[in-house]
Amino acid sequence: MTPVVDLPDEILCNVISLAIKNWRIFPKVFKAGNDFQDCVALIDVSRVCRRWREAAITDPTLWSSLCIVLHTPSAEVLRQLAYFVDICSARSKDLPMTIAVSIMHLDDLRLAHPLMRSIVAQEHRWSRIAINVIRPREQEDRMPIRVNEPSTNYDINLSAAGGDLLKEFQFNIGAWFTYSLNGPLPALETLKVAGYKIDGAAYILAKWSPFAPNLTELEMTVDASQFTFSTAEREINICGEEGGSSEQRFLLPKLRTLTVLPSFLPNLTCPNLEKYIMGSIPGGYSHLLCFLEFIDRNAPPLRTLAVRDGSSFLDNDMVRLYLTPTITTVIVKGPLDGFFSILSKSSPGGAGVLVLPALEQIELYECYTKYLDQLSALVLFRWDTSNRTLKSVKLCRCFQSMPEALMRPGNADIDVAEVEERWQGIARPFYVNFGSAKK
């Protein structure tokens, strides 16, 4: 067996890369892969000896990905981090860069300005980038933080944004940036921008959509807990000057997944949309009309509806109108009583179901154990109706002590009769239907 000291540099760098990737597990930020390394760990590994340091420094692939997570950083830490980004940029040479930055509990967004400048200086090399900056929790209920100095002191402009390299772009401080994109972004598939107001959405989309013909996922959200910046109001002014008002229309021909407020839907035409994601189901008929007109305007019909706030899933007439008959998959996080009751309504005469008659799949996330009986009753209700369209129920981070066998639908070894009684209502329809329960 070859001693470590005699390993060729390329094998040694592969070993270092694997060690970095397994240093810790970072949340899956990116849709198209999660292969970035932790560069802080890289520095530690490269300090083992002179040979390791020389091998690490001369291999640009080890420095082309940055994973940064900070809690309550000081101004000095952020300056050091900006310097570290410059080092990584130099050592990675001309390779495409993947950057994921998460900063929590930052009091003043201006402290991150040097870091953002260092990151944006390499925008022509961006492949995937995700930046998330969150204020301290105690500030979330306050008015958004604004900057009194002239905005030009802190302006950050994007012009290249990765060019033909960029695949994903995620910023929760989109109002900080101005955009003067001037070249195509053919590889861009995912665009996610969050801010304090929805007013700037038309401006941002007007700047990006002409250069991103292959966009398949768009998320534009509003979060009052986020930072706002003086550029936010300038965006709205620019938007008005350029005719980018709230009535501007955008055609997104390849978009499959969409997350925006219903009030922004009149601006969009998405002929290939498959999935619409709502933060919550809003009250007010104006939002509902925006949604229904959007559904009528697009083809093929919407098949998947996701709601991130299950507490807004109420059993009332307005919510029922959001549940259009073409929907076959419904995804809900944190479902409460209203979700189970509205999907358990019988049609007039009791022969079928009143809501979502074509429903094939239910996906629930973070469902409390106390709703197990209601879920079981819902599954059996859907199974006993004449149309019997329901095919699967997917549960993630739900309940406790779920039998392992239920995690593997179609398992021929499961005996429904031996499953604990409280789980049988969920198990029986699917396993009996596919002949996988023992006779």
PDB file of all heavy atoms in Angstrom, residues 356-376:
ATOM      1  N   LEU A 356     -61.557  18.799  -5.292  1.00  0.00           N
ATOM      2  CA  LEU A 356     -60.454  18.078  -5.942  1.00  0.00           C
ATOM      3  C   LEU A 356     -60.870  16.666  -6.345  1.00  0.00           C
ATOM      4  O   LEU A 356     -60.325  15.665  -5.867  1.00  0.00           O
ATOM      5  CB  LEU A 356     -59.224  18.035  -5.022  1.00  0.00           C
ATOM      6  CG  LEU A 356     -58.591  19.377  -4.655  1.00  0.00           C
ATOM      7  CD1 LEU A 356     -57.360  19.158  -3.766  1.00  0.00           C
ATOM      8  CD2 LEU A 356     -58.209  20.169  -5.889  1.00  0.00           C
ATOM      9  N   PRO A 357     -61.801  16.534  -7.261  1.00  0.00           N
ATOM     10  CA  PRO A 357     -62.276  15.202  -7.665  1.00  0.00           C
ATOM     11  C   PRO A 357     -61.226  14.353  -8.364  1.00  0.00           C
ATOM     12  O   PRO A 357     -61.360  13.122  -8.408  1.00  0.00           O
ATOM     13  CB  PRO A 357     -63.440  15.524  -8.613  1.00  0.00           C
ATOM     14  CG  PRO A 357     -63.138  16.900  -9.129  1.00  0.00           C
ATOM     15  CD  PRO A 357     -62.492  17.616  -7.983  1.00  0.00           C
ATOM     16  N   ALA A 358     -60.171  14.983  -8.916  1.00  0.00           N
ATOM     17  CA  ALA A 358     -59.131  14.230  -9.626  1.00  0.00           C
ATOM     18  C   ALA A 358     -57.881  14.026  -8.784  1.00  0.00           C
ATOM     19  O   ALA A 358     -56.841  13.604  -9.313  1.00  0.00           O
ATOM     20  CB  ALA A 358     -58.764  14.950 -10.927  1.00  0.00           C
ATOM     21  N   LEU A 359     -57.949  14.280  -7.473  1.00  0.00           N
ATOM     22  CA  LEU A 359     -56.768  14.230  -6.613  1.00  0.00           C
ATOM     23  C   LEU A 359     -56.131  12.840  -6.607  1.00  0.00           C
ATOM     24  O   LEU A 359     -56.787  11.845  -6.308  1.00  0.00           O
ATOM     25  CB  LEU A 359     -57.149  14.619  -5.183  1.00  0.00           C
ATOM     26  CG  LEU A 359     -55.999  14.733  -4.181  1.00  0.00           C
ATOM     27  CD1 LEU A 359     -55.039  15.842  -4.596  1.00  0.00           C
ATOM     28  CD2 LEU A 359     -56.531  14.984  -2.781  1.00  0.00           C
ATOM     29  N   GLU A 360     -54.831  12.800  -6.933  1.00  0.00           N
ATOM     30  CA  GLU A 360     -54.087  11.546  -6.978  1.00  0.00           C
ATOM     31  C   GLU A 360     -53.049  11.439  -5.867  1.00  0.00           C
ATOM     32  O   GLU A 360     -52.739  10.333  -5.422  1.00  0.00           O
ATOM     33  CB  GLU A 360     -53.396  11.383  -8.336  1.00  0.00           C
ATOM     34  CG  GLU A 360     -54.358  11.296  -9.510  1.00  0.00           C
ATOM     35  CD  GLU A 360     -53.625  11.173 -10.839  1.00  0.00           C
ATOM     36  OE1 GLU A 360     -52.369  11.212 -10.826  1.00  0.00           O
ATOM     37  OE2 GLU A 360     -54.298  11.033 -11.874  1.00  0.00           O
ATOM     38  N   GLN A 361     -52.486  12.549  -5.461  1.00  0.00           N
ATOM     39  CA  GLN A 361     -51.413  12.506  -4.468  1.00  0.00           C
ATOM     40  C   GLN A 361     -51.570  13.622  -3.448  1.00  0.00           C
ATOM     41  O   GLN A 361     -51.850  14.766  -3.791  1.00  0.00           O
ATOM     42  CB  GLN A 361     -50.040  12.620  -5.139  1.00  0.00           C
ATOM     43  CG  GLN A 361     -48.878  12.560  -4.154  1.00  0.00           C
ATOM     44  CD  GLN A 361     -47.528  12.411  -4.829  1.00  0.00           C
ATOM     45  OE1 GLN A 361     -47.445  11.955  -5.947  1.00  0.00           O
ATOM     46  NE2 GLN A 361     -46.477  12.793  -4.139  1.00  0.00           N
ATOM     47  N   ILE A 362     -51.364  13.263  -2.171  1.00  0.00           N
ATOM     48  CA  ILE A 362     -51.327  14.213  -1.069  1.00  0.00           C
ATOM     49  C   ILE A 362     -49.931  14.184  -0.469  1.00  0.00           C
ATOM     50  O   ILE A 362     -49.410  13.108  -0.156  1.00  0.00           O
ATOM     51  CB  ILE A 362     -52.364  13.861   0.016  1.00  0.00           C
ATOM     52  CG1 ILE A 362     -53.787  13.923  -0.546  1.00  0.00           C
ATOM     53  CG2 ILE A 362     -52.226  14.795   1.215  1.00  0.00           C
ATOM     54  CD1 ILE A 362     -54.841  13.436   0.423  1.00  0.00           C
ATOM     55  N   GLU A 363     -49.312  15.365  -0.328  1.00  0.00           N
ATOM     56  CA  GLU A 363     -48.008  15.460   0.323  1.00  0.00           C
ATOM     57  C   GLU A 363     -48.150  16.390   1.530  1.00  0.00           C
ATOM     58  O   GLU A 363     -48.559  17.542   1.387  1.00  0.00           O
ATOM     59  CB  GLU A 363     -46.947  16.015  -0.626  1.00  0.00           C
ATOM     60  CG  GLU A 363     -46.597  15.095  -1.778  1.00  0.00           C
ATOM     61  CD  GLU A 363     -45.434  15.614  -2.604  1.00  0.00           C
ATOM     62  OE1 GLU A 363     -44.670  16.461  -2.066  1.00  0.00           O
ATOM     63  OE2 GLU A 363     -45.297  15.207  -3.770  1.00  0.00           O
ATOM     64  N   LEU A 364     -47.801  15.881   2.701  1.00  0.00           N
ATOM     65  CA  LEU A 364     -47.903  16.662   3.921  1.00  0.00           C
ATOM     66  C   LEU A 364     -46.532  16.783   4.572  1.00  0.00           C
ATOM     67  O   LEU A 364     -45.773  15.806   4.628  1.00  0.00           O
ATOM     68  CB  LEU A 364     -48.878  16.010   4.898  1.00  0.00           C
ATOM     69  CG  LEU A 364     -50.316  15.808   4.405  1.00  0.00           C
ATOM     70  CD1 LEU A 364     -51.167  15.208   5.518  1.00  0.00           C
ATOM     71  CD2 LEU A 364     -50.915  17.112   3.911  1.00  0.00           C
ATOM     72  N   TYR A 365     -46.240  17.972   5.068  1.00  0.00           N
ATOM     73  CA  TYR A 365     -44.985  18.237   5.762  1.00  0.00           C
ATOM     74  C   TYR A 365     -45.308  18.784   7.155  1.00  0.00           C
ATOM     75  O   TYR A 365     -46.171  19.643   7.305  1.00  0.00           O
ATOM     76  CB  TYR A 365     -44.135  19.246   4.981  1.00  0.00           C
ATOM     77  CG  TYR A 365     -43.635  18.716   3.665  1.00  0.00           C
ATOM     78  CD1 TYR A 365     -44.475  18.661   2.553  1.00  0.00           C
ATOM     79  CD2 TYR A 365     -42.332  18.252   3.526  1.00  0.00           C
ATOM     80  CE1 TYR A 365     -44.023  18.160   1.342  1.00  0.00           C
ATOM     81  CE2 TYR A 365     -41.872  17.757   2.317  1.00  0.00           C
ATOM     82  CZ  TYR A 365     -42.724  17.712   1.230  1.00  0.00           C
ATOM     83  OH  TYR A 365     -42.266  17.217   0.026  1.00  0.00           O
ATOM     84  N   GLU A 366     -44.609  18.263   8.143  1.00  0.00           N
ATOM     85  CA  GLU A 366     -44.718  18.749   9.520  1.00  0.00           C
ATOM     86  C   GLU A 366     -46.167  18.725  10.021  1.00  0.00           C
ATOM     87  O   GLU A 366     -46.697  19.722  10.497  1.00  0.00           O
ATOM     88  CB  GLU A 366     -44.128  20.161   9.629  1.00  0.00           C
ATOM     89  CG  GLU A 366     -42.649  20.207   9.239  1.00  0.00           C
ATOM     90  CD  GLU A 366     -42.063  21.608   9.285  1.00  0.00           C
ATOM     91  OE1 GLU A 366     -42.725  22.500   9.833  1.00  0.00           O
ATOM     92  OE2 GLU A 366     -40.939  21.789   8.778  1.00  0.00           O
ATOM     93  N   CYS A 367     -46.769  17.568   9.880  1.00  0.00           N
ATOM     94  CA  CYS A 367     -48.135  17.383  10.359  1.00  0.00           C
ATOM     95  C   CYS A 367     -48.095  16.847  11.788  1.00  0.00           C
ATOM     96  O   CYS A 367     -47.381  15.886  12.076  1.00  0.00           O
ATOM     97  CB  CYS A 367     -48.895  16.416   9.453  1.00  0.00           C
ATOM     98  SG  CYS A 367     -50.626  16.206   9.888  1.00  0.00           S
ATOM     99  N   TYR A 368     -48.869  17.449  12.696  1.00  0.00           N
ATOM    100  CA  TYR A 368     -48.879  17.030  14.093  1.00  0.00           C
ATOM    101  C   TYR A 368     -49.500  15.645  14.247  1.00  0.00           C
ATOM    102  O   TYR A 368     -50.420  15.256  13.515  1.00  0.00           O
ATOM    103  CB  TYR A 368     -49.645  18.030  14.950  1.00  0.00           C
ATOM    104  CG  TYR A 368     -49.019  19.391  15.033  1.00  0.00           C
ATOM    105  CD1 TYR A 368     -49.731  20.525  14.668  1.00  0.00           C
ATOM    106  CD2 TYR A 368     -47.708  19.551  15.472  1.00  0.00           C
ATOM    107  CE1 TYR A 368     -49.158  21.787  14.743  1.00  0.00           C
ATOM    108  CE2 TYR A 368     -47.131  20.799  15.548  1.00  0.00           C
ATOM    109  CZ  TYR A 368     -47.859  21.918  15.187  1.00  0.00           C
ATOM    110  OH  TYR A 368     -47.280  23.157  15.259  1.00  0.00           O
ATOM    111  N   THR A 369     -49.012  14.916  15.248  1.00  0.00           N
ATOM    112  CA  THR A 369     -49.507  13.565  15.512  1.00  0.00           C
ATOM    113  C   THR A 369     -51.004  13.561  15.809  1.00  0.00           C
ATOM    114  O   THR A 369     -51.707  12.601  15.479  1.00  0.00           O
ATOM    115  CB  THR A 369     -48.736  12.950  16.697  1.00  0.00           C
ATOM    116  OG1 THR A 369     -47.344  12.916  16.374  1.00  0.00           O
ATOM    117  CG2 THR A 369     -49.213  11.534  16.980  1.00  0.00           C
ATOM    118  N   LYS A 370     -51.520  14.633  16.384  1.00  0.00           N
ATOM    119  CA  LYS A 370     -52.931  14.653  16.759  1.00  0.00           C
ATOM    120  C   LYS A 370     -53.858  14.613  15.541  1.00  0.00           C
ATOM    121  O   LYS A 370     -55.066  14.368  15.685  1.00  0.00           O
ATOM    122  CB  LYS A 370     -53.242  15.877  17.607  1.00  0.00           C
ATOM    123  CG  LYS A 370     -53.158  17.202  16.882  1.00  0.00           C
ATOM    124  CD  LYS A 370     -53.530  18.348  17.815  1.00  0.00           C
ATOM    125  CE  LYS A 370     -53.523  19.702  17.120  1.00  0.00           C
ATOM    126  NZ  LYS A 370     -53.910  20.799  18.044  1.00  0.00           N
ATOM    127  N   TYR A 371     -53.305  14.840  14.339  1.00  0.00           N
ATOM    128  CA  TYR A 371     -54.128  14.798  13.129  1.00  0.00           C
ATOM    129  C   TYR A 371     -54.062  13.451  12.423  1.00  0.00           C
ATOM    130  O   TYR A 371     -54.569  13.317  11.307  1.00  0.00           O
ATOM    131  CB  TYR A 371     -53.714  15.911  12.168  1.00  0.00           C
ATOM    132  CG  TYR A 371     -53.989  17.288  12.703  1.00  0.00           C
ATOM    133  CD1 TYR A 371     -52.955  18.157  12.997  1.00  0.00           C
ATOM    134  CD2 TYR A 371     -55.293  17.713  12.936  1.00  0.00           C
ATOM    135  CE1 TYR A 371     -53.205  19.425  13.507  1.00  0.00           C
ATOM    136  CE2 TYR A 371     -55.554  18.976  13.451  1.00  0.00           C
ATOM    137  CZ  TYR A 371     -54.506  19.824  13.733  1.00  0.00           C
ATOM    138  OH  TYR A 371     -54.755  21.069  14.241  1.00  0.00           O
ATOM    139  N   LEU A 372     -53.455  12.464  13.050  1.00  0.00           N
ATOM    140  CA  LEU A 372     -53.342  11.152  12.416  1.00  0.00           C
ATOM    141  C   LEU A 372     -54.716  10.555  12.124  1.00  0.00           C
ATOM    142  O   LEU A 372     -54.966  10.018  11.033  1.00  0.00           O
ATOM    143  CB  LEU A 372     -52.527  10.204  13.295  1.00  0.00           C
ATOM    144  CG  LEU A 372     -52.427   8.756  12.804  1.00  0.00           C
ATOM    145  CD1 LEU A 372     -51.826   8.691  11.411  1.00  0.00           C
ATOM    146  CD2 LEU A 372     -51.600   7.922  13.779  1.00  0.00           C
ATOM    147  N   ASP A 373     -55.633  10.627  13.082  1.00  0.00           N
ATOM    148  CA  ASP A 373     -56.969  10.066  12.875  1.00  0.00           C
ATOM    149  C   ASP A 373     -57.692  10.774  11.730  1.00  0.00           C
ATOM    150  O   ASP A 373     -58.394  10.134  10.937  1.00  0.00           O
ATOM    151  CB  ASP A 373     -57.790  10.165  14.160  1.00  0.00           C
ATOM    152  CG  ASP A 373     -57.291   9.226  15.247  1.00  0.00           C
ATOM    153  OD1 ASP A 373     -56.554   8.272  14.909  1.00  0.00           O
ATOM    154  OD2 ASP A 373     -57.615   9.443  16.425  1.00  0.00           O
ATOM    155  N   GLN A 374     -57.516  12.096  11.633  1.00  0.00           N
ATOM    156  CA  GLN A 374     -58.169  12.829  10.559  1.00  0.00           C
ATOM    157  C   GLN A 374     -57.566  12.483   9.200  1.00  0.00           C
ATOM    158  O   GLN A 374     -58.288  12.391   8.204  1.00  0.00           O
ATOM    159  CB  GLN A 374     -58.067  14.334  10.818  1.00  0.00           C
ATOM    160  CG  GLN A 374     -58.946  14.797  11.969  1.00  0.00           C
ATOM    161  CD  GLN A 374     -58.739  16.247  12.306  1.00  0.00           C
ATOM    162  OE1 GLN A 374     -57.979  16.578  13.206  1.00  0.00           O
ATOM    163  NE2 GLN A 374     -59.421  17.140  11.602  1.00  0.00           N
ATOM    164  N   LEU A 375     -56.251  12.277   9.150  1.00  0.00           N
ATOM    165  CA  LEU A 375     -55.629  11.858   7.904  1.00  0.00           C
ATOM    166  C   LEU A 375     -56.119  10.472   7.501  1.00  0.00           C
ATOM    167  O   LEU A 375     -56.433  10.222   6.332  1.00  0.00           O
ATOM    168  CB  LEU A 375     -54.104  11.857   8.044  1.00  0.00           C
ATOM    169  CG  LEU A 375     -53.331  11.309   6.833  1.00  0.00           C
ATOM    170  CD1 LEU A 375     -53.635  12.117   5.579  1.00  0.00           C
ATOM    171  CD2 LEU A 375     -51.842  11.295   7.110  1.00  0.00           C
ATOM    172  N   SER A 376     -56.201   9.577   8.475  1.00  0.00           N
ATOM    173  CA  SER A 376     -56.688   8.224   8.195  1.00  0.00           C
ATOM    174  C   SER A 376     -58.116   8.260   7.654  1.00  0.00           C
ATOM    175  O   SER A 376     -58.444   7.575   6.670  1.00  0.00           O
ATOM    176  CB  SER A 376     -56.621   7.380   9.471  1.00  0.00           C
ATOM    177  OG  SER A 376     -57.108   6.084   9.233  1.00  0.00           O
TER     178      SER A 376
END
